[in-house]
Amino acid sequence: MMNVDPVLMSRLITTMTLGFHIIFATLGVGIPLMISIAEFIGVKKKDPHYRMLARRWARGFVITVAVGVVTGTAIGLQLSLVWPEFMQVAGNVISLPLFMEVFAFFFEAIFLGMYLYTWDRFKKPFTHWLLSLPVVIGGGLSAIFITTVNAFMNTPEGFTMANGAFAAVNPITAMFNPATPSKVFHVLTSAYVTCAAILAAISAFMMLRKKASDYHKKALKLTVTVTFIFASLTAIAGDLSAKFLAEHQSEKLAAAEWHFETEKGADLIMFGWLDEQNEPRYEFRFPKLLSFLAHSDFNSEVTGLEEFPEEVRPPLWIHYMFDLMTAIGIFLLAVSMLYLILSKVKKWNEHNKGLLILIFLSGPLAFLAIEFGWILAEEGRQPWIIRGYMTVEEAATSSPYIGLMFWLFLGLYIVLGTLCTVTLRKMFRSNPAEEELEKLYPTIEKGD
Ligand code: HEB
């Protein structure tokens, strides 16, 4: 461990931290929406099943929030510890959204506390539902603020350069840089679809294990419907992201698409690999689709990688990240649509084993798509940390202790991950939904 390159180690430590944190951050944004929708339906229809869904999801959610607080703090710490030059230069540009994100998070946490402790405390159940709204909004806002920081790193704006430092800083312009709209939209929709898909996966899993109860059937219907809605919106957002890249960060799109020469009517390439001459082999090729994806016109011109000097070209392997993410997106859309179609026709059975297995898979796959999406976005910005101004190499620490830090944080995440899994399993295993329903609502019909 003694002779490792500090830049490499800095990148590894950040990759590990972000890769772990993004799971909890995504849950923190998306689960409140699912809770809020379930409780709303429960109150509207006076249906204890849906209210029980909201209760149980909220209970599990608290555990993941606690982990998210720790990993989020780790990121804050690492920003200055691992990327000191970055914080020195960009600190005053991004401190506003960083601060606002903390503020939004506290807003979410305070109302979450009130929400959790006031079940059945209000005369009208509707009042309790109202408390879920600030939780949903707080989660959404913290995602928006933090995403503007990442957007800034891709298309920095809102300052002038004077003697190697940022001057005349305008944090609002920095926040609303060109990457912000598409990124915010894509991050929000993909968090919502992922949380719906993971809850759908849990319901499907329960139904595969034992006979389906009404509770799990309703849970499945709600979560798969929401998956379908947000999978559609994620596809629209992904398309806007690609159009943004074509216009403002064309080297990222070109590297992801193995598009070397600037040309009109460019083909979309999926999977395959590159031979010695950088020619794609065994790829799927969709004629002129890249031009359409980039500019909504099959004959438009798409900038190729040749226009960029070798030193500022992102790694070509991000191609696979793009392909895997897109493939999972199509899978989520197809599976949730299939379920909805089957459930509309009386004769067909939307609870057949094959489909339940596919729904079960969509949960973990959605999380993988989140990881692939971020790897694409981050690796596709290389070699820059702030595109056009500062490279990752310039920003990294030269501290020899970075290797030690890596192992300490790895240990922390293993402990946190294990604790979280064990607690959640215990919480739900020892207290099945059906039993809890009977205890709380003794008059409920036994649904099968
Ligand atoms: Fe995604 C990213 C597209 C799906 C998640 N994406 C991204 C990008 C693009 C895309 C272009 C880059 C951007 C930048 O860098 O700026 N997607 C897309 C498409 C699709 C998708 C086209 C199909 C539909 N995604 C998806 C899914 C998911 C995702 C399904 C999950 C679930 N992505 C993602 C993330 C990211 C991305 C998380 C990172 C962030 C940003 O935005 O960037």
Side-chain angles (χ1 to χ4, degrees):
M1 277 323 300
M2 288 302 115
N3 304 320
V4 281
D5 168 21
V7 177
L8 179 67
M9 227 42 213
S10 300
R11 294 185 66 186
L12 281 179
I13 206 169
T14 303
T15 306
M16 171 175 76
T17 302
L18 291 174
F20 189 63
H21 174 71
I22 196 62
I23 298 174
F24 299 93
T26 303
L27 293 171
V29 174
I31 298 288
L33 182 71
M34 298 304 300
I35 296 173
S36 185
I37 296 175
E39 191 182 11
F40 182 76
I41 299 177
V43 172
K44 255 242 94 120
K45 291 190 171 170
K46 296 202 171 57
D47 184 332
H49 283 133
Y50 286 101
R51 296 185 65 201
M52 183 57 71
L53 274 176
R55 262 181 203 251
R56 290 174 65 90
W57 288 344
R59 211 180 294 146
F61 179 58
V62 179
I63 311 290
T64 62
V65 169
V67 180
V69 172
V70 183
T71 55
T73 311
I75 292 182
L77 192 72
Q78 286 176 12
L79 273 180
S80 341
L81 230 48
V82 183
W83 307 105
E85 301 300 319
F86 168 69
M87 286 310 274
Q88 183 119 37
V89 171
N92 51 353
V93 188
I94 60 176
S95 58
L96 178 72
L98 281 179
F99 173 76
M100 305 259 277
E101 138 37 27
V102 176
F103 185 77
F105 173 75
F106 279 128
F107 182 74
E108 177 181 5
I110 290 167
F111 279 95
L112 177 64
M114 299 199 333
Y115 181 81
L116 286 172
Y117 288 102
T118 50
W119 284 102
D120 308 317
R121 291 283 176 87
F122 296 101
K123 265 218 185 80
K124 287 196 189 129
F126 187 72
T127 321
H128 183 259
W129 172 74
L130 285 178
L131 280 178
S132 72
L133 296 183
V135 185
V136 178
I137 295 168
L141 282 177
S142 58
I144 293 173
F145 289 131
I146 206 65
T147 304
T148 67
V149 176
N150 184 265
F152 170 81
M153 294 161 71
N154 283 280
T155 48
E157 274 188 358
F159 58 86
T160 51
M161 223 28 193
N163 308 324
F166 289 0
V169 170
N170 181 342
I172 301 293
T173 316
M175 268 175 75
F176 293 97
N177 63 77
T180 295
S182 57
K183 266 193 190 282
V184 163
F185 186 26
H186 198 41
V187 164
L188 285 178
T189 51
S190 61
Y192 293 139
V193 73
T194 301
C195 290
I198 202 80
L199 294 174
I202 296 174
S203 308
F205 178 74
M206 297 307 289
M207 292 171 72
L208 282 165
R209 276 197 16 192
K210 36 183 191 188
K211 199 157 168 276
S213 65
D214 270 358
Y215 174 80
H216 289 299
K217 280 186 193 157
K218 285 179 189 171
L220 193 73
K221 184 166 176 213
L222 170 62
T223 50
V224 179
T225 310
V226 178
T227 303
F228 175 73
I229 295 170
F230 283 105
S232 315
L233 289 174
T234 302
I236 297 173
D239 181 53
L240 291 177
S241 289
K243 293 188 167 43
F244 153 77
L245 289 184
E247 179 139 359
H248 293 278
Q249 235 181 331
S250 40
E251 76 281 13
K252 197 190 271 186
L253 188 65
E257 274 306 322
W258 289 351
H259 182 60
F260 296 99
E261 282 140 41
T262 301
E263 61 178 0
K264 291 190 169 143
D267 298 347
L268 183 81
I269 294 171
M270 279 187 93
F271 297 102
W273 60 78
L274 288 173
D275 66 10
E276 288 89 61
Q277 280 85 44
N278 266 354
E279 277 299 321
R281 291 263 172 259
Y282 301 105
E283 77 283 12
F284 296 101
R285 197 174 267 276
F286 303 91
K288 300 193 177 192
L289 197 61
L290 181 59
S291 284
F292 186 77
L293 192 69
H295 305 292
S296 310
D297 168 2
F298 286 105
N299 292 313
S300 65
E301 187 172 274
V302 182
T303 313
L305 214 48
E306 61 177 4
E307 315 264 340
F308 297 89
E310 200 116 0
E311 331 70 84
V312 298
R313 291 184 194 169
L316 293 172
W317 59 262
I318 59 172
H319 178 68
Y320 297 111
M321 297 296 111
F322 188 75
D323 290 349
L324 289 169
M325 173 186 66
T326 324
I328 294 173
I330 295 167
F331 177 85
L332 295 176
L333 199 58
V335 171
S336 54
M337 192 150 76
L338 187 63
Y339 168 92
L340 290 179
I341 293 172
L342 291 187
S343 67
K344 286 281 169 285
V345 182
K346 269 253 149 59
K347 279 192 299 206
W348 293 340
N349 175 16
E350 75 274 29
H351 300 127
N352 73 66
K353 200 163 165 207
L355 186 58
L356 285 180
I357 293 176
L358 293 180
I359 296 175
F360 169 67
L361 289 177
S362 63
L365 282 174
F367 262 117
L368 280 177
I370 295 272
E371 301 281 356
F372 296 146
W374 276 114
I375 298 173
L376 162 71
E378 294 296 285
E379 282 295 330
R381 198 189 55 241
Q382 299 305 317
W384 304 108
I385 192 163
I386 307 172
R387 183 174 179 268
Y389 292 94
M390 180 185 260
T391 63
V392 166
E393 201 166 335
E394 290 163 346
T397 179
S398 52
S399 161
Y401 297 110
I402 192 81
L404 179 67
M405 260 176 69
F406 178 86
W407 295 109
L408 287 176
F409 277 107
L410 178 64
L412 174 71
Y413 303 145
I414 292 176
V415 172
L416 280 177
T418 318
L419 273 179
C420 180
T421 322
V422 172
T423 319
L424 283 175
R425 274 178 66 121
K426 251 200 124 105
M427 195 179 235
F428 290 104
R429 269 274 169 88
S430 58
N431 182 19
E434 291 80 2
E435 274 176 32
E436 198 182 350
L437 268 166
E438 265 179 60
K439 251 184 262 160
L440 264 177
Y441 307 97
T443 50
I444 195 165
E445 301 161 40
K446 276 252 177 69
D448 258 273

